[in-house]
Amino acid sequence: MYTEPTTFSAEQYFATQLPPPTLQHDVECVREFIARHQKEGRAVVLVTSGGTTVPLELNVVRFLDNFSAGTRGATSAEYFLKAGYAVIFMHRQFSLQPFSRHYSHSTNPFLDFLDIDSPESPGATPRISVTPNKREDLLQVLTMYKDVHARGTLHTLTFVTVDDYLWLLRAVSKEMSVLKRKAMFYLAAAVSDFFLPRQKMASYLSEHKIQSGKGSLHIEMDQVPKILKPLVDEWTPGGFIVSFKLETDENLLLPKARQALERYGHQVVIGNELHRRKFEVVFVSKKPSPALPPGIKQTKEAISHATDPSNSFSEYWLRIDIPEHPAPGVLVKEIEEDIVAELVKRHTEWVENTS
Amino acid sequence: MYTEPTTFSAEQYFATQLPPPTLQHDVECVREFIARHQKEGRAVVLVTSGGTTVPLELNVVRFLDNFSAGTRGATSAEYFLKAGYAVIFMHRQFSLQPFSRHYSHSTNPFLDFLDIDSPESPGATPRISVTPNKREDLLQVLTMYKDVHARGTLHTLTFVTVDDYLWLLRAVSKEMSVLKRKAMFYLAAAVSDFFLPRQKMASYLSEHKIQSGKGSLHIEMDQVPKILKPLVDEWTPGGFIVSFKLETDENLLLPKARQALERYGHQVVIGNELHRRKFEVVFVSKKPSPALPPGIKQTKEAISHATDPSNSFSEYWLRIDIPEHPAPGVLVKEIEEDIVAELVKRHTEWVENTS
């Protein structure tokens, strides 16, 4: 049976799809985390990171995936922590995490820089130590890591599927609404545009069960609802919301970023071109509408001025040099350091503008 | 344009699809590794591990994936190394690896069991040490790891897509053919049954470019060629070949395993049911055909006896207990230890039977 593709609104989506079983527990932990940091006067940022999957079978073996190692999110989370934010790090299982990211996906696993020292006395258990030339970097990372854990400023949530992601995002953003303007959203996860509604999956499985004996595989998916709109309007009014646009065609960067701002009404789109994303990004935001001088009619010129994109959007390009020969033992400059610094500045103004 | 799904033979596949750019380099390293261990009289096992992807776009963002963390492969590789084999570990990027697997995908990253000791004198760099209750396990893993690296008995290869996998498997198995019966193949990777031929991807991209503005996503893929047949018959005659069947319906385990042995003519299929795979597997293999007593005609009974599966296939069930309360500081018993022990026994007989 062929089922017509459907476009789900966010409301329809949540009314027809099932929440992940851990949602209630996750929300309670988030609520506690937010309450504690609100009491201590700390700003809270939700960082989403990594790709989402779309399972194609009930016993999930095959799924559609969006590629993302989670570098942008994990790196940025570290800089937000350094800047004094409490961070809710909502990431794809096994994607990079703050601090451990320096070692986890490396081709040289951490076992490579551990040494076994000769025991001090015969028969004693030998000590394990860190290879001397790795000690300084590891000490720096480990010190930050211990510090963050001692303060309790990092809370980690895990998702795998696009359904997990959507349900979690809605629940967490609703919890964050109590923070009003002190809440920031840094939506760096690479979210699938498509999903397989469970109603379709059931019929898909019974009628078109994926079998390797067949000559071809046919998949028909529906569009994921655009959740930025309800996020801005309903779930977390007042929050400072940053979304990302990743494009392979750099000519599409600005038009797509502007379109997203027009459509969803949030604060910043960070545009990045796939191959330049490690050293160049652009912040796109809406300029405050210029107030027309009193008594002036909406002339043709005034309207044309107001509708020219260069007059209603601001662009801020951020670039870093790529060190050709990074000195050993020195952590390399990362563009996320500057991205976060710029956002912290803008968020601080945003908070001050209404308090 | 709708393109008819095609069933590719292995020959057609390699004649029309492109090899990964690193193939030549990978093959040269493998050749050197094999030559060294052949000279030292060591048996060599190729362990494949982790899932494969099928990219749906040229700038790979979206792909179809087969789920596998790579536990079976990474764990087994460790036991093959302990048993004195040289191991070619061909795995999906970021899937588990021998030794580091004990720490890499854990919810407690290794930073959690490192301590910063107070410096011995003021101003000195503090030392990093391993949390006392983790020391024994880590020392055991680290000692094996250092030992394997000192002997050079582990060679690692990485793949991502099903194309990488197929090209690598063919090239490595051809290299291993010089080892004759001393080569073992332990094909534990979860390989996609479907792929998108590059010829189709081109037209797919230009005409049906995946765009998020559309209401639905339509994917049409072709079947991956069955490569066990040429592996057995052409690429590596004499090799001892073990494949895996993972099923969610345990009633399908034996029939599917027998069917694979009939079809490809290799030595062992290890069947595992998705939810019981950590503590129960079945080895299925063909019994040597019973010689009919001389002078006896092929009676109805003789034929029925010969075609009854219970008479032409042997099954060997392997089960371990799951410890309910594993003692802390003691590495838990893993079924791969017994799987590898059984295979080493069978492989040794296989080698002795012709030398």
Side-chain angles (χ1 to χ4, degrees):
Chain A
M1 191 187 75
Y2 178 77
T3 324
E4 273 297 321
T6 327
T7 303
F8 279 73
S9 70
E11 208 172 299
Q12 284 169 321
Y13 174 88
F14 290 109
T16 56
Q17 306 304 307
L18 291 178
T22 51
L23 186 67
Q24 199 47 46
H25 172 76
D26 283 345
V27 169
E28 280 159 24
C29 297
V30 163
R31 187 175 303 151
E32 203 182 294
F33 181 83
I34 291 172
R36 182 156 50 85
H37 292 292
Q38 191 181 22
K39 219 162 105 186
E40 296 175 10
R42 212 169 267 124
V44 180
V45 62
L46 170 70
V47 175
T48 71
S49 186
T52 62
T53 72
V54 183
L56 303 177
E57 297 161 298
L58 285 178
N59 274 302
V60 181
V61 175
R62 267 168 282 220
F63 51 82
L64 190 83
D65 204 340
N66 277 41
F67 174 73
S68 171
T71 311
R72 181 77 90 211
T75 309
S76 303
E78 252 179 55
Y79 289 106
F80 277 118
L81 287 163
K82 280 191 201 173
Y85 276 70
V87 174
I88 300 172
F89 184 68
M90 183 177 138
H91 79 121
R92 161 75 175 275
Q93 186 185 30
F94 303 143
S95 70
L96 293 172
Q97 295 192 50
F99 310 114
S100 68
R101 73 180 172 101
H102 297 280
Y103 306 101
S104 52
H105 279 195
S106 158
T107 44
N108 296 322
F110 82 102
L111 292 171
D112 272 349
F113 52 83
L114 294 180
D115 292 335
I116 302 174
D117 300 340
S118 336
E120 281 155 32
S121 58
T125 308
R127 276 187 71 118
I128 296 166
S129 67
V130 177
T131 313
N133 68 355
K134 299 284 182 187
R135 218 168 272 172
E136 200 181 319
D137 274 5
L138 180 57
L139 191 63
Q140 201 177 326
V141 172
L142 191 59
T143 305
M144 285 192 291
Y145 180 78
K146 300 267 177 204
D147 183 55
V148 160
H149 279 255
R151 293 158 173 267
T153 48
L154 174 63
H155 183 74
T156 300
L157 293 170
T158 304
F159 60 84
V160 175
T161 68
V162 64
D163 293 295
D164 299 344
Y165 171 87
L166 293 170
W167 281 96
L168 260 180
L169 179 64
R170 184 174 77 155
V172 173
S173 61
K174 284 181 173 181
E175 292 300 324
M176 286 178 73
S177 66
V178 300
L179 296 158
K180 302 205 174 76
R181 293 208 154 206
K182 279 204 150 176
M184 196 199 296
F185 294 80
Y186 186 84
L187 306 173
V191 183
S192 173
D193 295 314
F194 300 98
F195 80 113
L196 201 58
R198 67 187 183 91
Q199 291 77 2
K200 253 187 192 177
M201 193 192 274
S203 81
Y204 185 78
L205 279 171
S206 55
E207 296 171 43
H208 307 278
K209 191 175 180 320
I210 304 179
Q211 272 292 358
S212 38
K214 302 284 161 54
S216 76
L217 175 67
H218 214 88
I219 306 166
E220 173 95 29
M221 275 179 285
D222 291 312
Q223 214 181 340
V224 161
K226 298 296 175 198
I227 43 70
L228 259 176
K229 189 73 184 152
L231 178 71
V232 172
D233 293 345
E234 301 162 35
W235 303 342
T236 192
F240 187 83
I241 299 169
V242 183
S243 73
F244 285 80
K245 269 272 168 245
L246 178 70
E247 292 291 335
T248 50
D249 178 353
E250 70 173 329
N251 295 321
L252 291 178
L253 265 190
L254 293 180
K256 289 249 183 168
R258 289 169 183 160
Q259 190 185 46
L261 288 172
E262 284 290 12
R263 198 173 279 170
Y264 310 122
H266 60 304
Q267 283 65 51
V268 183
V269 173
I270 298 182
N272 34 178
E273 190 278 316
L274 187 64
H275 299 103
R276 303 174 62 77
R277 69 190 191 280
K278 303 256 182 205
F279 52 93
E280 182 184 276
V281 300
V282 56
F283 287 58
V284 185
S285 47
K286 262 201 121 169
K287 284 185 193 165
S289 342
L292 288 176
I296 295 284
K297 280 213 182 123
Q298 295 236 345
T299 61
K300 217 169 165 184
E301 288 71 30
I303 290 168
S304 137
H305 179 89
T307 52
D308 176 357
S310 61
N311 295 314
S312 41
F313 294 97
S314 73
E315 283 101 41
Y316 173 75
W317 287 90
L318 210 159
R319 295 183 182 89
I320 60 166
D321 293 332
I322 321 163
E324 279 183 42
H325 304 286
V330 174
L331 298 177
V332 167
K333 167 76 178 180
E334 296 167 315
I335 196 169
E336 287 80 3
E337 183 175 358
D338 294 350
I339 294 177
V340 169
E342 176 65 22
L343 288 177
V344 168
K345 200 185 80 185
R346 293 186 185 205
H347 187 216
T348 309
E349 284 167 12
W350 170 262
V351 172
E352 283 165 358
N353 273 350
T354 38
S355 57
Chain B
M1 189 188 77
Y2 177 77
T3 324
E4 273 298 319
T6 328
T7 303
F8 280 73
S9 71
E11 208 172 299
Q12 285 169 320
Y13 174 87
F14 290 108
T16 56
Q17 306 304 307
L18 290 177
T22 52
L23 186 67
Q24 199 46 47
H25 171 77
D26 283 345
V27 169
E28 281 158 24
C29 297
V30 163
R31 187 175 303 151
E32 203 182 294
F33 181 83
I34 290 172
R36 181 155 53 85
H37 291 292
Q38 191 180 22
K39 218 163 106 187
E40 296 175 10
R42 212 168 267 124
V44 180
V45 61
L46 170 70
V47 176
T48 70
S49 186
T52 62
T53 71
V54 183
L56 303 178
E57 297 161 297
L58 285 178
N59 274 302
V60 181
V61 175
R62 266 166 284 218
F63 52 83
L64 190 82
D65 204 339
N66 276 40
F67 173 74
S68 171
T71 311
R72 181 78 89 211
T75 310
S76 303
E78 252 179 56
Y79 288 107
F80 277 118
L81 288 163
K82 279 190 203 175
Y85 275 70
V87 174
I88 300 173
F89 185 68
M90 182 176 138
H91 79 121
R92 160 77 176 274
Q93 187 187 29
F94 303 144
S95 71
L96 292 172
Q97 295 194 49
F99 309 113
S100 69
R101 73 180 173 101
H102 297 281
Y103 306 101
S104 52
H105 279 194
S106 159
T107 44
N108 297 321
F110 82 103
L111 292 172
D112 272 349
F113 52 83
L114 294 180
D115 291 334
I116 303 174
D117 300 340
S118 336
E120 281 156 30
S121 57
T125 308
R127 275 187 71 120
I128 297 166
S129 68
V130 177
T131 313
N133 67 356
K134 299 285 182 186
R135 219 169 272 172
E136 203 180 317
D137 274 6
L138 180 58
L139 190 62
Q140 203 177 324
V141 173
L142 191 59
T143 304
M144 286 191 292
Y145 179 78
K146 301 265 176 206
D147 184 56
V148 160
H149 279 255
R151 293 158 172 267
T153 47
L154 174 61
H155 183 75
T156 300
L157 293 169
T158 303
F159 61 83
V160 176
T161 68
V162 66
D163 294 294
D164 299 344
Y165 171 87
L166 292 170
W167 281 96
L168 260 180
L169 180 65
R170 184 174 76 155
V172 173
S173 60
K174 284 181 172 179
E175 292 300 324
M176 285 178 73
S177 66
V178 300
L179 295 158
K180 300 204 176 77
R181 292 208 156 206
K182 278 206 152 176
M184 197 199 296
F185 294 80
Y186 186 85
L187 306 174
V191 183
S192 174
D193 294 314
F194 299 99
F195 80 113
L196 200 57
R198 65 187 184 93
Q199 292 76 2
K200 254 188 192 176
M201 195 192 276
S203 81
Y204 185 77
L205 279 171
S206 54
E207 296 170 44
H208 307 278
K209 189 174 183 319
I210 303 181
Q211 272 292 358
S212 37
K214 301 284 162 53
S216 76
L217 174 68
H218 214 90
I219 306 167
E220 175 95 29
M221 276 180 285
D222 290 313
Q223 214 180 342
V224 161
K226 298 294 173 201
I227 42 72
L228 259 176
K229 189 73 185 152
L231 178 71
V232 172
D233 293 346
E234 301 162 36
W235 304 341
T236 192
F240 186 83
I241 298 168
V242 184
S243 73
F244 285 80
K245 269 271 168 246
L246 177 70
E247 292 291 335
T248 50
D249 178 354
E250 72 173 328
N251 295 321
L252 290 178
L253 264 190
L254 293 180
K256 290 249 182 168
R258 289 169 182 159
Q259 190 186 48
L261 288 172
E262 284 291 11
R263 197 173 281 169
Y264 310 122
H266 60 303
Q267 283 64 50
V268 183
V269 174
I270 298 183
N272 35 177
E273 191 277 318
L274 186 63
H275 299 103
R276 303 173 63 77
R277 70 191 191 280
K278 303 256 181 203
F279 53 92
E280 183 185 275
V281 300
V282 57
F283 287 57
V284 185
S285 47
K286 261 201 123 169
K287 283 185 194 166
S289 341
L292 287 176
I296 295 284
K297 281 210 182 129
Q298 295 237 343
T299 61
K300 215 170 167 184
E301 288 71 29
I303 291 169
S304 136
H305 178 89
T307 52
D308 176 355
S310 60
N311 294 314
S312 40
F313 293 97
S314 75
E315 282 101 43
Y316 174 75
W317 287 90
L318 211 160
R319 294 182 184 89
I320 61 166
D321 293 332
I322 321 164
E324 279 183 42
H325 304 286
V330 174
L331 296 178
V332 168
K333 167 77 178 179
E334 296 167 315
I335 195 168
E336 286 80 4
E337 182 175 358
D338 295 350
I339 293 176
V340 169
E342 176 65 23
L343 287 177
V344 168
K345 200 185 80 187
R346 293 185 185 205
H347 186 216
T348 307
E349 285 166 13
W350 170 262
V351 172
E352 284 165 357
N353 274 350
T354 37
S355 59

